[in-house]
Amino acid sequence: MCGIVGYIGNKNTQEILLAGLKELEYRGYDSAGIALLDQNKIEVFKALGKLHNLEEKVNTNKEYPLGIGHTRWATHGKPTELNAHPHMGEYSYVVHNGIIENYKELKEELMKVGHKFVSQTDTEVIVHLFEFFYNKTPNSKEAFLNTIKKLEGAYSILLISKVDPDNIFFFKHGSPLIVARGLEKGEVLFSSSDSPLIGLSNEVVYLEDGVGGIANKDGINFFNDNVTWAGLPTSKQFAQKDGFRFFMEKEIYEQSDVVTDSMIGRLGENEISFDEFPASLIDGIEEIKICACGTSFHAGLTASYLFERLARVRCSVEIASEFRYKDPLLNKNTLFIVISQSGETADTLEALKMAKKAGLKTLVVCNVDNSSMTRVADATILTRAGVEKGVASTKAFSTQTVVLWMMGLYFANHKNTITKEKLEEEIKALREVPQALIIQDEMHEKTKRLSKRYLHGHGFFFIGRDVFFPLALEGALKLKEISYLHAEGYPAGEMKHGPIALADPELFTIALMPQNLLYDKIKSNVEELSARDSTICSISPLEFDLSDDFIRTKKTNHYMLEFFEMLVALQLLSMEISVRLGNDVDMPRNLAKSVTVE
Ligand code: F6R
């Protein structure tokens, strides 16, 4: 959520900053800006909306020894140019990722002593605080440290000032920030995630909370010694669309390959192993609690069915933002699992910290190595989906679900709740998942054709039972996110307890009707909706005479294989409806990829 970059060096600063922001644009695209500093001269460019608007505005070829940049997802203050970062005082500029919770009090105090504010953001107080302290005692390091002491909330910050034109001041507390040595002597780079740094650096520090410092062309001086240098991945190939129209489309098509990666080294001939997590982590565990947000929550909900069914272990699932403030009862014999694509989602991260503090064993199922959650949890299982750029999550969900299904079997084996034959049967099904995720042209074409019909109406119900209920939630979320149409996911059996009152021909029901799980039950639920004239689109291997439309999935002998095939159908359908409506599939309005504010 929001992206920040910084650069010190002899290359073209504006080009490096803009290229970095391009990599981070998916994190927020309400506005973007850069500030370039050369001794007494600061040049600032800001633009509303997507990054190309800023690129068109940056019209200088002058050389600047350093600069900072930002791409914004608005939290405080509407998306306007005035609210775009970098924010300025009289002689300093700041970019910030996160939220300053006490900004109102700070702003009032600063205004009383004559500081003038031009934006509605929380960020602007940072630069004014810095100048307030500097005006009292002209020592920039001291002014920066005093500023940090005053801030409450989550933030990563880069600050530059004419009074100290060789330096970039930086600090991390709660929001991610990486500092990197460039490949050339005297180069320093900053970024809120590692993708802008790839190819420009081999050595980085993923800053811990409470760590900051001052950087210039002579090096990086940290305020404390709590830093560890690390390497960086070298491949940038993920940034390409590879001929697909959208990152989302590419990522849907990649699922078959990436779930194979998720299984490598874990799925044996007739057993499942996870080197990453010691068996001691589950010894004595009586209960599992899963916590996550959004799509990752849906993967967690799916896992709860699998864990209870296969491993006979009690499993509850909570939305992280709810869990944090409910004063939860935590039992030490609970394994606390968080699920997150980014590993940075603020609510999930805080829930993880709470559980750890309460003495629970913790595990994160995550896609991004070195992310904040992987550094907090006792153990990490990486999902290995590769970089996911589409804001609407696709391959993150399929890899999470595969990993969690394998974990369910691992627990089951460990607890002796599964027979050898049943385990072999499940492993055989797992091996068939990559095949189930290969997209048939016929299915994609069908979703394109259906997208013409499913554009209007007053809403969508996605319905399913058992694991197909979280899948229905996920289908509805995908449609909402990128088409902006109203959609709800429901357990099919719940319809008659209220929602069925909405049924009429303008209500579209997307019914998940697996052959291998509760087919007759869901069939009755769909019949009830059809009897009330709802327009029905069934997704199933079996044709159903009451359906108005039908997406055919392959016949298999395991409901989880049907699950993955239906997942693809839902992802494609929402993408094609979004395309038909002319929306931006990869960067839907009001959203950002990684939600680092609560
Ligand atoms: C939906 C989506 C979001 C995320 C949620 C959690 O397509 O992407 O709902 O799933 O913000 O993000 P992570 O998994 O990074 O914690």
Side-chain angles (χ1 to χ4, degrees):
M1 184 144 286
C2 297
I4 62 180
V5 288
Y7 178 71
I8 301 171
N10 294 326
K11 296 199 183 111
N12 184 303
T13 300
Q14 47 274 44
E15 270 176 26
I16 299 230
L17 294 178
L18 288 172
L21 292 178
K22 187 83 209 148
E23 290 289 333
L24 298 179
E25 192 183 14
Y26 68 108
R27 297 176 73 100
Y29 34 83
D30 289 331
S31 62
I34 59 172
L36 305 160
L37 175 63
D38 185 6
Q39 297 304 315
N40 238 336
K41 192 164 166 22
I42 289 195
E43 192 133 23
V44 179
F45 299 92
K46 295 183 184 190
L48 201 56
K50 303 254 167 79
L51 192 72
H52 62 84
N53 297 335
L54 178 67
E55 286 169 334
E56 281 161 23
K57 266 191 160 172
V58 178
N59 55 6
T60 173
N61 281 325
K62 196 174 154 348
E63 285 179 8
Y64 292 90
L66 59 86
I68 54 177
H70 187 272
T71 175
R72 178 169 190 247
W73 185 81
T75 55
H76 292 72
K78 282 185 186 291
T80 63
E81 217 169 287
L82 265 186
N83 287 335
H85 300 219
H87 285 286
M88 60 172 182
E90 275 181 47
Y91 45 81
S92 318
Y93 281 79
V94 71
V95 290
H96 159 226
N97 181 6
I99 288 184
I100 307 300
E101 284 168 358
N102 59 336
Y103 83 103
K104 281 202 177 118
E105 298 92 288
L106 293 172
K107 194 169 172 176
E108 273 167 27
E109 284 171 28
L110 287 160
M111 282 167 73
K112 276 188 207 147
V113 293
H115 285 257
K116 295 206 167 33
F117 287 79
V118 293
S119 79
Q120 300 144 336
T121 65
D122 52 336
T123 302
E124 204 182 349
V125 295
I126 303 172
V127 73
H128 281 278
L129 264 180
F130 174 79
E131 294 190 351
F132 168 77
F133 287 116
Y134 188 85
N135 292 346
K136 277 210 316 202
T137 313
N139 175 325
S140 49
K141 179 178 172 186
E142 219 172 273
F144 186 67
L145 286 171
N146 282 331
T147 302
I148 298 299
K149 275 192 212 141
K150 286 273 183 188
L151 303 177
E152 287 169 18
Y155 47 87
S156 55
I157 294 170
L158 300 179
L159 183 140
I160 56 176
S161 178
K162 281 189 204 172
V163 295
D164 198 350
D166 297 330
N167 289 326
I168 294 185
F169 295 82
F170 60 95
F171 203 89
K172 169 189 170 3
H173 177 78
S175 302
L177 184 62
I178 305 166
V179 54
R181 280 194 195 116
L183 300 177
E184 287 180 8
K185 195 164 176 295
E187 262 189 325
V188 182
L189 298 106
F190 296 91
S191 175
S192 46
S193 86
D194 55 14
S195 55
L197 304 173
I198 292 170
L200 299 177
S201 165
N202 292 329
E203 286 174 294
V204 301
V205 177
Y206 295 90
L207 295 176
E208 297 290 339
D209 282 348
V211 178
I214 306 174
N216 54 45
K217 64 178 174 27
D218 297 323
I220 304 162
N221 296 305
F222 293 98
F223 296 142
N224 43 26
D225 297 330
N226 186 16
V227 298
T228 315
W229 287 92
L232 260 189
T234 50
S235 161
K236 251 197 154 174
Q237 49 78 22
F238 57 75
Q240 316 303 325
K241 284 189 201 151
D242 292 344
F244 289 99
R245 293 169 295 170
F246 316 104
F247 281 112
M248 183 184 180
E249 186 175 42
K250 177 190 169 213
E251 288 159 7
I252 294 172
Y253 272 80
E254 265 174 6
Q255 292 179 107
S256 169
D257 290 336
V258 290
V259 294
T260 308
D261 293 341
S262 310
M263 292 191 251
I264 287 174
R266 294 165 174 166
L267 191 62
E269 270 305 297
N270 40 30
E271 62 159 15
I272 285 168
S273 58
F274 284 100
D275 291 344
E276 306 90 324
F277 93 76
S280 61
L281 203 70
I282 51 171
D283 284 340
I285 289 300
E286 289 165 0
E287 204 180 311
I288 291 176
K289 190 177 271 298
I290 298 178
C291 206
C293 301
T295 289
S296 297
F297 170 75
H298 299 155
L301 208 51
T302 309
S304 71
Y305 287 87
L306 297 172
F307 287 179
E308 293 209 347
R309 179 167 299 140
L310 298 167
R312 308 306 296 155
V313 58
R314 201 173 300 118
C315 180
S316 57
V317 195
E318 308 228 20
I319 290 178
S321 55
E322 287 298 308
F323 172 80
R324 284 178 67 185
Y325 299 105
K326 68 189 272 202
D327 201 4
L329 278 175
L330 295 173
N331 166 358
K332 289 234 166 65
N333 295 333
T334 303
L335 175 64
F336 193 82
I337 302 179
V338 288
I339 306 170
S340 175
Q341 188 286 126
S342 61
E344 302 293 349
T345 302
D347 284 317
T348 312
L349 179 60
E350 288 309 313
L352 170 63
K353 288 181 185 164
M354 271 172 70
K356 196 158 178 198
K357 202 161 159 211
L360 273 65
K361 293 179 180 171
T362 57
L363 173 76
V364 58
V365 174
C366 185
N367 193 33
V368 181
D369 200 4
N370 277 318
S371 57
S372 301
M373 287 181 215
T374 65
R375 280 176 278 137
V376 174
D378 296 321
T380 298
I381 298 191
L382 291 175
T383 47
R384 305 177 185 158
V387 172
E388 189 181 63
K389 283 218 139 184
V391 164
S393 203
T394 51
K395 61 178 180 167
F397 179 79
S398 44
T399 50
Q400 286 165 347
T401 309
V402 159
V403 163
L404 290 160
W405 181 9
M406 287 194 290
M407 277 170 61
L409 291 169
Y410 177 81
F411 295 148
N413 203 20
H414 195 78
K415 289 183 75 228
N416 266 327
T417 56
I418 192 164
T419 62
K420 192 167 163 285
E421 294 69 35
K422 175 75 177 155
L423 180 61
E424 280 171 10
E425 215 177 272
E426 294 282 305
I427 289 180
K428 185 170 172 290
L430 268 163
R431 288 191 191 291
E432 289 171 28
V433 174
Q435 185 65 31
L437 285 166
I438 290 177
I439 294 160
Q440 310 299 321
D441 288 348
E442 197 189 320
M443 179 189 277
H444 198 161
E445 278 313 309
K446 186 76 192 249
T447 58
K448 275 186 191 159
R449 255 181 294 133
L450 289 180
S451 69
K452 286 188 231 165
R453 297 185 53 178
Y454 290 86
L455 297 176
H456 311 292
H458 58 73
F460 285 76
F461 278 159
F462 287 71
I463 58 168
R465 280 172 170 264
D466 201 278
V467 290
F468 294 86
F469 160 51
L471 185 60
L473 290 174
E474 177 58 9
L477 179 63
K478 285 291 90 75
L479 188 71
K480 271 188 274 220
E481 282 181 291
I482 58 175
S483 73
Y484 322 140
L485 296 170
H486 185 232
E488 296 301 333
Y490 266 103
E494 270 293 292
M495 301 310 291
K496 52 182 156 308
H497 299 288
I500 204 165
L502 289 168
D504 68 18
E506 298 300 302
L507 177 86
F508 302 134
T509 299
I510 312 291
L512 306 178
M513 303 180 70
Q515 183 180 16
N516 291 296
L517 197 70
L518 301 170
Y519 182 79
D520 289 335
K521 300 282 172 203
I522 178 107
K523 193 163 158 243
S524 312
N525 301 136
V526 179
E527 275 162 6
E528 288 154 11
L529 276 153
S530 172
R532 274 109 190 141
D533 258 357
S534 170
T535 299
I536 311 282
C537 174
S538 60
I539 309 184
S540 177
L542 305 176
E543 246 170 278
F544 175 47
D545 50 10
L546 295 178
S547 294
D548 299 281
D549 286 305
F550 175 52
I551 300 178
R552 186 189 297 281
T553 52
K554 287 191 291 294
K555 290 199 174 172
T556 71
N557 54 9
H558 198 296
Y559 63 93
M560 285 306 288
L561 296 172
E562 296 187 76
F563 178 99
F564 285 106
E565 234 195 293
M566 288 185 193
L567 168 67
V568 167
L570 295 174
Q571 293 168 336
L572 290 173
L573 184 65
S574 60
M575 183 183 77
E576 292 305 337
I577 291 175
S578 170
V579 174
R580 189 78 63 181
L581 290 166
N583 297 345
D584 187 332
V585 170
D586 282 334
M587 290 194 261
R589 73 184 185 201
N590 305 340
L591 298 178
K593 184 68 187 163
S594 147
V595 184
T596 50
V597 292
E598 74 166 296

